[in-house]
Amino acid sequence: MPGAIYAEGLVKTFGDVRALDGVDLDVPEGTVLGLLGPNGAGKTTAVRCLTTLLRPDSGKAVVAGIDVLKHPNEVRRSIGLSGQFAAVDEYLTGRENLHMVGQLYQMRAKQAKVRAVELLEQFNLTDAADRTAKTYSGGMRRRLDLAAALVVSPPVMFMDEPTTGLDPRNRQQLWEVIKQLVSGGTTLLLTTQYLEEADHLAHNICVVDHGRVIARGTSDQLKARTGGERVEVVVQDREHIATATEVLRGFGKGETTVEEHTRRLTVPVTGGAKLLAEVIRELDARGIEIDDIGLRRPTLDDVFLSLTGHLAEQKDEGNGVAADPDTKGHENTKEASR
């Protein structure tokens, strides 16, 4: 039986850009799937197709047991969505924004007001509840947008890079909210560029790049594919980079990455602290002075460098936003519920 979120062969093109190129997903009920990828990989386009905001060119999608293409209105009543960009009414207060979303979901006025109070408190917005949203900081708007996605408790939730713009404290708070939702039986598809976020939240991860799923598995499984650990060395003198690279090559389980401008060398390894001590002894024996050395787990960039041959790019996702301007800014729960 397919999961609470299921996609098979999703394809979506914008002109010459193939934003989705046969994406398959299967998210069991009550679990979190982390859709991981650089900007431009197709994450947001996939979310838009699954939440009825875009119609795929081909393929199949089922959400909460409902065919997305055949019964989009029923799907909208069964999901919550927080889009990549905070979509709140700047001329309404925080309280009024949440009350409005509740009414769009056909909640009774009194019930919507009570729920708004609960969410304002949960997201630390009580003090700003009666200020217009245009006076909010970027992080506050993001929290208000996330609160709007939780006005009702739908069986399936979609969150597109939900912690963008949040400070560490609010990010941790959101993680706790998500854990509570999932423990209550909610199924969640979460897009993110942060492996740390996927570590905390996702039961399984799909890595996407250029519109295709290029890897699947748990966070630990993906890290294992790039080498379970990394030795990272900063040499004191630039002329020692070549010799240090040779040393690390003897201990490494993959290619050594060199950053010339920072004099930093990184190589995947196995062996833990014992191996790190051996590396230090060998560098010392070669007369290589170091400014820093450490053992760490792979980062998002390590995963992407291993899987795709390039680092995660920091640019606007062009596979859906720029090519499909009619959908820009209309990813919020309010839009999906209309």
Side-chain angles (χ1 to χ4, degrees):
M1 292 292 291
I5 303 171
Y6 178 78
E8 182 180 333
L10 283 186
V11 173
K12 182 64 182 178
T13 59
F14 299 103
D16 295 332
V17 178
R18 200 170 180 86
L20 297 180
D21 192 12
V23 169
D24 298 330
L25 301 171
D26 193 356
V27 190
E29 184 176 346
T31 66
V32 179
L33 175 70
L35 199 58
L36 195 66
N39 284 332
K43 305 186 303 296
T44 295
T45 302
V47 168
R48 289 173 175 168
C49 289
L50 291 167
T51 57
T52 77
L53 295 175
L54 283 178
R55 186 178 181 88
D57 299 328
S58 62
K60 179 180 180 180
V62 178
V63 174
I66 305 166
D67 190 300
V68 172
L69 299 181
K70 294 180 180 178
H71 307 289
N73 289 333
E74 292 183 30
V75 171
R76 292 168 189 158
R77 286 192 287 267
S78 302
I79 64 173
L81 168 63
S82 177
Q84 188 174 0
F85 304 99
V88 298
D89 192 319
E90 293 189 342
Y91 296 95
L92 296 180
T93 66
R95 190 187 310 276
E96 289 168 343
N97 265 283
L98 298 180
H99 187 205
M100 177 185 68
V101 174
Q103 290 182 311
L104 288 172
Y105 273 111
Q106 300 182 349
M107 296 173 67
R108 294 181 179 180
K110 183 177 180 180
Q111 182 185 7
K113 289 180 179 179
V114 170
R115 183 59 177 152
V117 170
E118 293 173 351
L119 289 166
L120 288 165
E121 182 176 352
Q122 187 174 19
F123 283 88
N124 288 330
L125 291 170
T126 301
D127 291 343
D130 297 311
R131 285 167 40 194
T132 55
K134 65 181 179 181
T135 68
Y136 284 17
S137 67
M140 291 171 68
R141 291 188 188 194
R142 190 61 177 150
R143 282 148 54 198
L144 181 60
D145 182 69
L146 292 167
L150 300 174
V151 167
V152 296
S153 299
V156 178
M157 282 285 301
F158 294 85
M159 291 188 176
D160 192 4
E161 299 191 17
T163 60
T164 300
L166 297 185
D167 59 35
R169 178 182 177 184
N170 285 307
R171 180 174 293 172
Q172 290 281 350
Q173 184 182 44
L174 177 61
W175 288 351
E176 291 305 315
V177 171
I178 291 174
K179 288 177 181 178
Q180 291 172 14
L181 283 171
V182 176
S183 67
T186 300
T187 304
L188 173 64
L189 189 150
L190 168 79
T191 78
T192 182
Q193 294 185 66
Y194 307 119
L195 190 58
E196 179 189 10
E197 190 157 270
D199 269 335
H200 278 79
L201 300 173
H203 296 88
N204 290 287
I205 295 171
C206 280
V207 180
V208 294
D209 194 32
H210 298 297
R212 297 181 179 181
V213 175
I214 60 172
R216 305 173 191 268
T218 65
S219 179
D220 286 340
Q221 288 170 341
L222 291 178
K223 290 176 183 179
R225 290 184 60 171
T226 63
E229 298 167 317
R230 290 288 191 273
V231 166
E232 190 174 88
V233 179
V234 179
V235 299
Q236 189 174 92
D237 299 316
R238 197 175 303 277
E239 57 265 27
H240 287 154
I241 288 178
T243 306
T245 301
E246 181 184 341
V247 171
L248 293 182
R249 188 179 295 121
F251 292 96
K253 298 299 182 181
E255 183 180 352
T256 301
T257 303
V258 179
E259 298 176 13
E260 293 278 352
H261 63 292
T262 60
R263 309 182 309 281
R264 185 183 305 275
L265 298 85
T266 306
V267 65
V269 299
T270 58
K274 181 179 179 181
L275 179 136
L276 181 62
E278 293 176 5
V279 172
I280 294 172
R281 284 194 293 269
E282 183 63 22
L283 290 171
D284 184 61
R286 296 286 194 101
I288 301 172
E289 296 185 9
I290 59 176
D291 286 340
D292 191 23
I293 188 167
L295 188 69
R296 62 174 175 81
R297 302 191 75 188
T299 65
L300 175 64
D301 280 347
D302 295 327
V303 172
F304 271 89
L305 187 60
S306 173
L307 293 174
T308 71
H310 63 81
L311 299 178
E313 300 172 8
Q314 298 302 313
K315 63 182 181 179
D316 291 339
E317 182 160 334
N319 57 15
V321 177
D324 187 37
D326 292 339
T327 64
K328 185 176 181 179
H330 296 283
E331 309 151 316
N332 187 266
T333 308
K334 299 191 290 292
E335 297 295 334
S337 62
R338 288 177 182 171

